[in-house]
């Protein structure tokens, strides 16, 4: 079983949308498991404080190293071989290649940051790898971790209805996906491209490859340059 352990201040946000549809069915079947750990349980004092003001001053609050380390040590046994990720806009951007590698492994342990961030010392001391889901700032790592989990879970054996639909989609071939059409043949005066109705499979394959390249050049030239 592929195992996900989540350290968060908001365990109620899980499984959230992953409890429905294909990922929810797979969770119920035991294809993967989800375990949440509330960082607050390791908070200090009567108010279970988990954060404090930044050293050097400035806005916001920072999650304390001692509190987060104690939450990590309680949740993750020493021999646990799963990658330890910290969702953060500062992280290395998540890619489909990384998703594929994570899905092929034993699972993930994910720390969800909040506030301005977490004390830098705990990142190194507990071997956390910062991962970003894109160049924008969310209010915390929870939704980012749901995104990462969704991308991984759909690749687990038996989760996708049709095996092929997992591999042919955008990015797996390094290009954006070609356009899709279905019935009706004409809709609001718009026809389906004639090639797709030709029954000529070689010609259809060529049309799709051309369209994928054209769309990628137009929208994501960075993918063609291989950077
Ligand atoms: N937490 C806040 N913003 C984030 C992002 N873009 N990616 C991952 N975690 C985040």
């Amino acid at each position: 079983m592929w195992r996900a352990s989540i350290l968060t201040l908001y365990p109620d946000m899980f499984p959230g949308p992953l409890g429905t549809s294909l990922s929810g069915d797979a969770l119920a079947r035991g294809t993967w498991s989800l375990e949440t750990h509330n960082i607050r349980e390791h908070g200090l004092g009567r108010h279970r404080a988990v954060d404090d003001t930044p050293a050097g001053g400035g806005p916001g609050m920072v999650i304390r190293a001692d509190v987060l380390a104690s939450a990590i040590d309680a949740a993750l046994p020493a021999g646990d071989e799963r990658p330890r990720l910290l969702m953060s806009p500062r992280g290395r951007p998540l890619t489909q290649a990384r998703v594929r590698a994570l899905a092929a492994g034993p699972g993930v342990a994910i720390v969800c940051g909040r506030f301005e961030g977490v004390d830098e010392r705990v990142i190194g001391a507990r071997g956390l790898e910062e991962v970003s889901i894109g160049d924008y700032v969310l209010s915390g790592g929870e939704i980012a971790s749901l995104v990462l989990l969704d991308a991984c879970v759909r690749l687990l054996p038996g989760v996708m209805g049709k095996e092929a639909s997992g591999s042919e989609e955008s990015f797996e071939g390094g290009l954006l996906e070609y356009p899709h059409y279905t019935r009706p043949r004409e809709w609001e005066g718009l026809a389906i491209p004639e090639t797709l109705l030709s029954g000529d499979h070689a010609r259809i394959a060529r049309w799709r490859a051309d369209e994928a390249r054209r769309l990628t050049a137009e929208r994501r030239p960075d993918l063609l340059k291989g950077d």
Side-chain angles (χ1 to χ4, degrees):
M1 183 193 302
W2 195 84
R3 294 173 50 232
S5 295
I6 311 291
L7 282 81
T8 172
L9 287 163
Y10 299 97
D12 290 352
M13 291 176 79
F14 298 87
L18 299 185
T20 61
S21 192
L22 292 178
S23 54
D25 296 343
L27 188 57
R29 278 200 309 272
T31 303
W32 67 296
S33 71
L34 177 66
E35 194 180 272
T36 56
H37 303 271
N38 194 340
I39 298 168
R40 181 76 58 192
E41 285 173 17
H42 299 267
L44 305 174
R46 205 160 51 83
H47 294 108
R48 295 253 164 257
V50 298
D51 58 341
D52 210 327
T53 53
M61 298 289 271
V62 176
I63 298 184
R64 293 175 58 115
D66 51 358
V67 170
L68 185 52
S70 120
I72 291 170
D73 295 344
L76 309 174
D80 195 322
E81 285 177 359
R82 292 173 297 169
R84 295 176 167 191
L85 311 180
L86 170 63
M87 304 315 293
S88 155
R90 250 179 36 166
R92 193 187 308 202
L94 184 64
T95 62
Q96 187 63 25
R98 185 72 203 282
V99 165
R100 228 179 294 125
L102 288 172
V108 283
I110 306 180
V111 175
C112 300
R114 279 265 152 184
F115 317 115
E116 283 308 295
V118 310
D119 188 302
E120 189 71 20
R121 293 169 293 181
V122 75
I123 299 175
R126 290 299 180 273
L128 303 181
E129 181 200 343
E130 291 179 86
V131 174
S132 166
I133 64 157
D135 291 340
Y136 38 78
V137 180
L138 305 170
S139 49
E142 284 78 10
I143 291 175
S145 72
L146 289 169
V147 167
L148 183 146
L149 290 175
D150 180 82
C152 291
V153 166
R154 64 186 284 282
L155 297 182
L156 299 178
V159 174
M160 294 280 291
K162 204 160 137 262
E163 290 297 334
S165 49
S167 62
E168 278 189 30
E169 289 175 20
S170 293
F171 299 112
E172 290 283 3
L175 296 176
L176 300 185
E177 223 185 356
Y178 53 78
H180 300 284
Y181 299 87
T182 185
R183 283 181 277 272
R185 224 177 140 122
E186 194 183 306
W187 172 77
E188 295 195 348
L190 302 170
I192 293 173
E194 181 273 327
T195 303
L196 297 178
L197 306 171
S198 69
D200 181 340
H201 296 299
R203 212 176 128 213
I204 291 170
R206 226 173 313 117
W207 182 89
R208 286 177 168 165
D210 290 347
E211 284 295 301
R213 221 166 303 114
R214 184 185 64 75
L215 279 172
T216 307
E218 189 179 295
R219 298 178 185 177
R220 294 293 306 277
D222 56 303
L223 293 178
L224 294 174
K225 288 190 207 101
D227 58 23

